[in-house]
Amino acid sequence: MLRRLSADDERFKEVSFTGGLNLIVASTTASSADTDSRNSAGKSSLIELIHFLLGARATNTTLAMNKALRKTTFTLEMDWPGLSSPLSVRRSGQRAGFVTLSEDVTGTDDGAIFPRTGSVELPVERWTQLIERDLFGLRGDHPGVSGRVLLSFLARRVSSHGFNEPTRTFSRQSAPEAASNLAYLLGLDWQLVDEYRQLAARKATRAQLKKAVDDPVWGRIVGSTADLRGQITLAEAQVERLRAQVADFQVVPEYERLKDRADQVSRRIKQLAQEDVIDQHNLEELQAAVTETTDVEVDYLEPVYRELGVILNDQVRQRFEDVRTFHHSVVRNRRRFLEEEIAELTERLQARRSERARLGEDQARLLRDLAEGGALEALTALQTALGREEAALQALRHRFEAAQTLEASARQITAKSVELQQAVDTDLQERRRQTDEAILLFSHYAQRLYGEGREAYLAIEAGRNSLTITPRIDSDGSRGISNMVIFCFDLTLAVLAHRHGRGPDFLIHDSHLYDGVDDRQVAAALKLAAEVTAEENLQYIVTINTDSLGMAAQRGFDPEPYIRSPRLTDEHETGGLFGFRFKTVGKR
């Protein structure tokens, strides 16, 4: 139960609570002007502050973040499981990300060997986890069920439009999200019900992807599963090839030196080939010259002269013989020179042939060594290429998953919806005791307000898109009856959750709940709340205007035992909860 709400600003009006029914009354004063309104007394602000101290996000509770209140530290004292005295929770807008607890209630589940003593400062996220664990019995992972949402059903806020309909705590709350939390409070299989939320998320994802694919640019980015499957196959093969190369790669010591030596050998082999071409050409020319070098024949001269009638004397003959001998000497010397040149060329060709053979063996060995591995830089480049291809493959797989999600047939989603609907329907049959308890309790409360003849019940059924919980009271659809549907529904949730250890022992309502409600139902609701809270050991805190309370009193309800201090007024400066006026956005 909540015990006290206070602040370190002396102008703030400290509010005390007890068990059972607690009425926080706002009234007009004799000095009130026609323009004064009890909406400025701070009734809704009280509920906003309680939410702020129970872990609401600062962005969702603009009141405590108001410039006029930002430096104020607010304190809520409340009962806590396992503590003999109330736990104090302090929080300010200046340090909105943290709360200070008067005692360490974390236990040892935060890694500490022994519990800490004295006050402790915790992040708000940790504080909400403790609320979920100790006030709602939520342990471990519980996707789809949130302590903050559960609290919002037990302390609805006008600023979040929490009184618009019974089964939502804020206007944009999805039906599956609300249903999961309601299922937990009612004792149903909330994990099964949460599958509706997961299915809704899948539908939303598909819708977004469908919009993307319809866009000509994004359509090319996402692609089709058929195209992507082929691209993935090719990419996987490329990655496997690179992985095999990296696995087989050997770093060759002195790789660069071997590479330079191989280049030198290659250049030398090319040079020898060029020299062979030149020498072979010269050899052929020399061999041709040897063939063409012959002695000059002069034996035909004497017969020619004889026929001409010229007789050659011995002196002439001797001159011919001398010429012949000289010519023979020239020819012999030329042939000897050519043969020597031919022998030298042949020897050089043979030497180069031998050198080429040796260089060829060296080249083969060097190339074999280089082919078996490479330099460290080459391995690094290969690994970089592998990483790049693996990243590209992963991107293709992500695109493929997105395309698969998009191309999932509507029949499959519909089939899952039908399957889930059947499963939830079966679970409702198996949990007949829990549903009957909720239905009977709600009906009892509604008939206490409107009489035994009024048909009232909870319609709980498995729908296609969500578990549907519909509180119904036979009525003309007026706003007053709609508000009393919320009253009966919230009271049912609070009682069932507290009975079975799934919720705290308090319920809080704003005076807006009673706007437009017939005075008979206001009196009946307050009487019912007083009786139920006493029977169930609960606490019901309600802010209410004096005119509504006065009409209830005329209908036989005595409010005096339940009115708590202070009484709020619309007095211009000091009558409200904070003791001074400041500019706000929205209602306080």
Side-chain angles (χ1 to χ4, degrees):
M1 295 185 184
L2 309 183
R3 294 299 177 184
R4 190 164 66 100
L5 178 65
S6 60
D8 60 1
D9 186 336
E10 61 182 10
R11 295 172 294 180
F12 184 83
K13 291 180 173 57
E14 181 179 298
V15 185
S16 298
F17 309 104
T18 65
L21 175 61
N22 292 258
L23 298 176
I24 308 301
V25 181
S27 59
T28 58
T29 63
S31 60
S32 298
D34 292 339
T35 56
D36 289 334
S37 168
R38 282 159 298 179
N39 285 337
S40 62
K43 302 185 303 298
S44 297
S45 295
L46 182 143
I47 299 174
E48 290 291 332
L49 287 177
I50 291 175
H51 268 284
F52 179 68
L53 288 161
L54 291 180
R57 292 181 180 178
T59 53
N60 293 341
T61 313
T62 56
L63 177 68
M65 303 302 293
N66 188 287
K67 184 178 180 180
L69 302 175
R70 189 176 177 82
K71 295 182 179 180
T72 304
T73 298
F74 297 96
T75 302
L76 177 66
E77 294 181 10
M78 60 187 300
D79 294 340
W80 195 265
L83 296 184
S84 57
S85 59
L87 175 71
S88 293
V89 186
R90 297 193 300 277
R91 188 181 182 190
S92 71
Q94 202 164 28
R95 282 180 54 81
F98 297 88
V99 298
T100 301
L101 306 182
S102 60
E103 293 191 43
D104 179 24
V105 294
T106 60
T108 58
D109 63 353
D110 62 349
I113 299 177
F114 301 104
R116 294 179 290 270
T117 58
S119 64
V120 59
E121 185 177 72
L122 298 174
V124 171
E125 293 77 8
R126 178 64 177 138
W127 171 228
T128 58
Q129 291 173 359
L130 295 176
I131 291 174
E132 291 174 342
R133 184 193 70 184
D134 293 350
L135 298 189
F136 291 99
L138 288 167
R139 298 180 181 275
D141 294 332
H142 42 82
V145 175
S146 161
R148 288 297 316 151
V149 176
L150 296 174
L151 277 172
S152 295
F153 276 111
L154 300 178
R156 296 177 185 264
R157 291 189 286 178
V158 174
S159 60
S160 301
H161 307 286
F163 294 99
N164 286 5
E165 54 184 305
T167 56
R168 297 178 195 262
T169 60
F170 58 92
S171 57
R172 295 185 179 180
Q173 187 175 33
S174 68
E177 178 192 1
S180 299
N181 289 274
L182 288 174
Y184 180 78
L185 292 174
L186 293 173
L188 305 179
D189 189 345
W190 61 270
Q191 292 173 312
L192 180 61
V193 173
D194 186 57
E195 291 187 23
Y196 278 116
R197 182 182 61 84
Q198 299 173 23
L199 186 61
R202 181 180 172 186
K203 290 179 180 178
T205 300
R206 184 178 187 276
Q208 292 298 321
L209 288 174
K210 184 66 171 61
K211 289 180 181 178
V213 169
D214 289 342
D215 182 271
V217 176
W218 285 101
R220 290 194 297 270
I221 293 176
V222 176
S224 67
T225 55
D227 292 339
L228 291 169
R229 189 178 289 111
Q231 295 174 23
I232 287 173
T233 300
L234 296 177
E236 287 175 340
Q238 176 65 6
V239 167
E240 288 303 317
R241 283 194 295 270
L242 288 173
R243 284 176 180 168
Q245 292 178 26
V246 170
D248 295 339
F249 193 94
Q250 297 180 3
V251 178
V252 176
E254 300 182 348
Y255 178 88
E256 293 300 329
R257 186 184 63 81
L258 292 178
K259 181 175 178 296
D260 291 342
R261 175 58 183 159
D263 291 341
Q264 291 174 3
V265 170
S266 178
R267 287 195 297 271
R268 179 55 182 163
I269 290 174
K270 291 179 180 179
Q271 182 182 2
L272 291 174
Q274 292 172 354
E275 292 177 356
D276 274 358
V277 170
I278 296 172
D279 285 352
Q280 186 65 40
H281 177 71
N282 292 337
L283 178 61
E284 291 174 357
E285 287 186 346
L286 288 174
Q287 288 174 340
V290 169
T291 303
E292 295 171 357
T293 303
T294 59
D295 289 336
V296 177
E297 293 294 334
V298 295
D299 291 342
Y300 68 91
L301 290 175
E302 188 171 353
V304 170
Y305 280 107
R306 187 180 302 119
E307 289 179 4
L308 292 175
V310 179
I311 302 299
L312 299 177
N313 58 26
D314 290 338
Q315 185 178 3
V316 173
R317 288 192 181 94
Q318 182 62 42
R319 290 290 296 169
F320 278 132
E321 188 62 31
D322 290 340
V323 170
R324 179 183 293 176
T325 300
F326 174 76
H327 184 72
H328 282 323
S329 174
V330 171
V331 169
R332 184 173 58 253
N333 291 336
R334 177 175 173 75
R335 183 178 287 116
R336 184 184 301 115
F337 172 77
L338 292 174
E339 288 175 351
E340 289 176 356
E341 286 293 318
I342 289 172
E344 184 179 348
L345 286 174
T346 302
E347 184 179 349
R348 288 208 303 267
L349 288 170
Q350 182 61 38
R352 281 198 292 270
R353 191 176 299 113
S354 299
E355 186 178 359
R356 274 203 310 275
R358 178 178 59 78
L359 291 175
E361 293 176 359
D362 289 347
Q363 186 183 47
R365 177 178 56 79
L366 291 169
L367 292 177
R368 184 170 57 253
D369 290 342
L370 292 173
E372 290 176 353
L376 182 60
E377 292 82 358
L379 176 60
T380 303
L382 195 60
Q383 290 172 331
T384 301
L386 174 60
R388 185 168 55 249
E389 292 297 329
E390 286 178 333
L393 174 59
Q394 192 63 29
L396 285 173
R397 286 174 174 166
H398 284 314
R399 290 173 57 193
F400 182 74
E401 291 173 2
Q404 274 190 319
T405 302
L406 173 64
E407 295 178 9
S409 95
R411 290 191 301 272
Q412 290 177 329
I413 296 178
T414 301
K416 176 61 179 176
S417 178
V418 172
E419 177 186 346
L420 180 57
Q421 183 181 13
Q422 293 174 344
V424 172
D425 186 65
T426 301
D427 180 70
L428 290 177
Q429 295 297 325
E430 294 174 351
R431 296 175 188 264
R432 183 70 179 271
R433 182 180 62 81
Q434 288 91 334
T435 57
D436 286 353
E437 183 181 16
I439 292 170
L440 293 174
L441 202 59
F442 176 82
S443 178
H444 172 68
Y445 294 158
Q447 290 179 356
R448 284 287 304 273
L449 300 185
Y450 291 99
E452 296 294 333
R454 185 67 64 94
E455 184 180 47
Y457 58 91
L458 289 178
I460 305 175
E461 61 180 343
R464 280 290 184 92
N465 301 313
S466 174
L467 173 71
T468 60
I469 302 172
T470 309
R472 292 178 179 172
I473 297 178
D474 185 26
S475 68
D476 56 6
S478 66
R479 177 185 174 188
I481 293 182
S482 297
N483 285 3
M484 287 301 95
V485 169
I486 295 176
F487 169 82
C488 295
F489 184 64
D490 289 356
L491 190 59
T492 301
L493 292 177
V495 168
L496 291 178
H498 181 247
R499 276 183 187 177
H500 302 289
R502 295 188 297 271
D505 52 3
F506 56 83
L507 175 65
I508 305 172
H509 278 152
D510 188 274
S511 62
H512 289 78
L513 181 68
Y514 295 94
D515 289 347
V517 178
D518 186 272
D519 53 356
R520 292 169 296 181
Q521 276 68 56
V522 174
L526 295 178
K527 286 180 183 179
L528 177 63
E531 294 175 9
V532 171
T533 52
E535 293 170 0
E536 300 288 343
N537 193 27
L538 285 171
Q539 179 184 57
Y540 180 52
I541 299 172
V542 56
T543 63
I544 194 165
N545 296 326
T546 51
D547 50 358
S548 296
L549 196 60
M551 289 186 293
Q554 292 177 6
R555 290 291 180 174
F557 173 70
D558 181 12
E560 289 303 323
Y562 310 108
I563 296 176
R564 302 292 172 249
S565 174
R567 284 178 178 263
L568 305 177
T569 70
D570 56 4
E571 189 175 351
H572 183 63
E573 285 296 334
T574 61
L577 178 67
F578 298 96
F580 68 101
R581 296 294 179 90
F582 52 89
K583 293 181 179 181
T584 61
V585 178
K587 294 180 179 180
R588 284 190 290 138

